[in-house]
Amino acid sequence: MIALLGLVLGVVAGVFLHPTVPPELAPYLPIAVVAALDALAGAARAVLDGVFDHRVFVVSFGSNVLVAAFIVFLGDQLGVGSQLSTAVVVVLGIRIFSNAAAIRRRLFRA
């Protein structure tokens, strides 16, 4: 319940405050969002499987975002930022869809 309240407060704050992202951090924002969505999908699956642990979720959430951002940063430094960004999105997208399929199977027995 606390997480849902935090989500609602964050969305409301974003709508009213109109935060901006500095241009030098703009390439990292989409990757961080996809990494965070991966952690959330994993958490939803863990809740349905009855194995959710808030410590694992927090570490997974933070490490996903940091590792994904580091890979994109490394790609920028090597001059292949867009290719590594695409690779990160593909890998995390596969994980998100895998978790979504597991959630669907669990909820609908299909």
Side-chain angles (χ1 to χ4, degrees):
M1 189 64 181
I2 293 172
L4 185 59
L5 180 62
L7 177 65
V8 170
L9 287 175
V11 168
V12 169
V15 167
F16 288 112
L17 297 177
H18 303 289
T20 59
V21 177
E24 58 272 2
L25 296 180
Y28 305 104
L29 182 62
I31 302 302
V33 169
V34 172
L37 288 174
D38 174 49
L40 290 173
R45 180 179 182 180
V47 166
L48 290 174
D49 290 343
V51 295
F52 180 77
D53 181 4
H54 68 279
R55 290 183 182 129
V56 172
F57 170 69
V58 170
V59 170
S60 171
F61 191 91
S63 65
N64 276 5
V65 171
L66 289 175
V67 169
F70 176 72
I71 290 171
V72 173
F73 172 77
L74 185 61
D76 285 343
Q77 298 304 307
L78 296 172
V80 292
S82 63
Q83 290 90 344
L84 283 181
S85 295
T86 302
V88 168
V89 169
V90 167
V91 169
L92 292 176
I94 290 170
R95 288 173 41 113
I96 290 168
F97 281 107
S98 174
N99 283 325
I103 291 167
R104 176 190 41 82
R105 284 191 301 271
R106 177 89 169 153
L107 289 177
F108 301 115
R109 310 281 190 259

